[in-house]
Amino acid sequence: MSEPTTTPSAPASATPDAPGTAATAPPSEDRSALARMFSSTAGRNIGLVIALALLVVVGAVTAGENFMNYDNFLVIARLASVIGVVAVGVTFVITAGGIDLSVGSVLGLSSVVASLGAIQTAADGFWPLMVFVAVAVGVLAGLTNGFIIAYGKVVAFMATLAMLVAARGLAELISQRQTQVVSNDGFLDFFRGDLLGVSWVVWIFVLVAVGGWFLLNRTTFGRRTVAIGGNATAARLAGVNVRRHTVYLYMLAGACAGIAATMLLSRTTAGTSTHGQLYELDAIAAVVVGGTLLVGGRGTIGGTVLGVLLFSTLTNVFTQNNLSTSVQLVAKGVIIVGAVMLQQRFANREGGSPSP
């Protein structure tokens, strides 16, 4: 309480007479500058790039030439592509302060509907119809989620959890729990083709990521998404139709799940209700590790892409070294917890509260 009265009376010449205070000031300034750097989007992405580089070094040391070759890097990219497309859609939802637990089940439902015999027969000679059907199913599921959340005022966690169960059950009913083989040659030939030696599946992921980055960072839609996540009430008072925008966000997440379903169909040549199991958790993990705040108000597509690549590389390193999937899951859990703890720490510093 005495500091406000003593501070104004302290002469400017007191600084040289107090070497202790002069010596301690620069370190605190350095620490705050470092904290500001790593709490920025660029700083977080640099941290992810460093972590990814270290993981590549570990793979090179432990697996040698089996890991450090062009074909293996393409395998990592293809592995990241499907989850990556799903994660881009989830990034928008989480940035707005929501959550979508249903994207994995919606992916499975989209793959089943798109691989129905009637759809494939109708798509003979025009395979994009299969893609359209898969995306349409995803958009319809997202529309249902968004309407229930925005207008039914159901908590996003519960609404999307219900869709997770319902979409998986509907996929089982439609497919009668049987695997449906994809026999459309045009569809398979396109998605198994490549451009400049890189699979079309990877290029689709790149296009979705670039489009997502542009939408989030360079459009009114993206600014409204961030505003809703930061303070939905303030966004509404500023003229944003929060309910309608929320519906759009879940439709976008559903569309991404539908696109990912077509990519998975081309890789497995089969539509089944088991497709996409636990994909929602992998997508959310990549989004959080990438730097998007779970409470909303901040999102980064670049960070999400790096998060997906980080987990895909981790899986590849573990596979190359013949380590069990159980160990992989433990490692993923540690990474996720570490990412959330860092988020909380930097969020506290940005908010001015002392960090532990």
Side-chain angles (χ1 to χ4, degrees):
M1 291 296 182
S2 60
E3 288 182 0
T5 57
T6 57
T7 301
S9 62
S13 59
T15 304
D17 298 333
T21 57
T24 55
S28 63
E29 293 177 1
D30 291 341
R31 284 196 299 270
S32 62
L34 186 64
R36 286 196 300 270
M37 184 188 74
F38 279 104
S39 63
S40 67
T41 300
R44 287 188 297 271
N45 288 346
I46 290 173
L48 288 171
V49 170
I50 293 173
L52 185 60
L54 291 175
L55 197 55
V56 170
V57 171
V58 171
V61 172
T62 58
E65 294 182 358
N66 291 331
F67 180 83
M68 294 297 295
N69 63 76
Y70 181 72
D71 290 337
N72 187 57
F73 288 141
L74 286 181
V75 169
I76 293 174
R78 285 195 296 268
L79 181 65
S81 296
V82 177
I83 292 293
V85 170
V86 175
V88 169
V90 173
T91 300
F92 281 87
V93 172
I94 294 180
T95 300
I99 195 72
D100 193 344
L101 301 177
S102 67
V103 285
S105 296
V106 170
L107 186 154
L109 176 60
S110 297
S111 74
V112 166
V113 176
S115 61
L116 287 173
I119 300 298
Q120 293 196 62
T121 300
D124 283 343
F126 189 68
W127 58 264
L129 178 62
M130 294 178 61
V131 179
F132 174 80
V133 169
V135 175
V137 171
V139 170
L140 182 59
L143 174 63
T144 304
N145 278 335
F147 189 84
I148 293 173
I149 293 166
Y151 294 95
K153 297 184 179 180
V154 177
V155 177
F157 182 91
M158 295 306 301
T160 57
L161 180 62
M163 179 59 74
L164 179 152
V165 177
R168 188 72 67 187
L170 184 58
E172 291 179 356
L173 289 173
I174 294 174
S175 65
Q176 297 180 350
R177 296 192 175 185
Q178 295 181 353
T179 300
Q180 300 175 149
V181 178
V182 176
S183 57
N184 190 298
D185 293 333
F187 175 85
L188 295 176
D189 290 343
F190 174 81
F191 282 94
R192 290 183 172 184
D194 61 76
L195 177 64
L196 303 177
V198 179
S199 171
W200 273 113
V201 172
V202 178
W203 284 114
I204 292 172
F205 174 35
V206 172
L207 290 174
V208 170
V210 171
W213 179 89
F214 182 83
L215 187 63
L216 184 61
N217 296 282
R218 293 292 184 268
T219 67
T220 303
F221 184 90
R223 290 191 290 271
R224 288 174 177 174
T225 300
V226 175
I228 291 172
N231 190 323
T233 301
R236 185 177 66 253
L237 294 176
V240 177
N241 190 326
V242 176
R243 290 182 177 180
R244 184 174 62 191
H245 195 86
T246 299
V247 174
Y248 289 160
L249 289 172
Y250 283 93
M251 289 173 66
L252 177 61
C256 288
I259 295 172
T262 63
M263 297 162 68
L264 194 58
L265 275 177
S266 67
R267 193 173 73 187
T268 61
T269 69
T272 171
S273 60
T274 60
H275 275 336
Q277 285 187 336
L278 299 181
Y279 275 28
E280 59 277 353
L281 301 184
D282 288 339
I284 292 171
V287 171
V288 173
V289 169
T292 297
L293 286 179
L294 269 174
V295 294
R298 186 183 74 198
T300 163
I301 298 296
T304 295
V305 171
L306 289 173
V308 171
L309 290 174
L310 185 68
F311 282 125
S312 297
T313 305
L314 178 69
T315 299
N316 188 267
V317 170
F318 277 55
T319 302
Q320 293 279 359
N321 288 280
N322 296 320
L323 296 175
S324 68
T325 55
S326 300
V327 179
Q328 295 181 37
L329 294 175
V330 172
K332 282 186 177 181
V334 171
I335 292 174
I336 294 168
V337 170
V340 173
M341 290 177 66
L342 285 174
Q343 278 194 5
Q344 292 177 340
R345 186 175 185 85
F346 287 130
N348 288 338
R349 288 187 175 184
E350 288 174 354
S353 59
S355 58

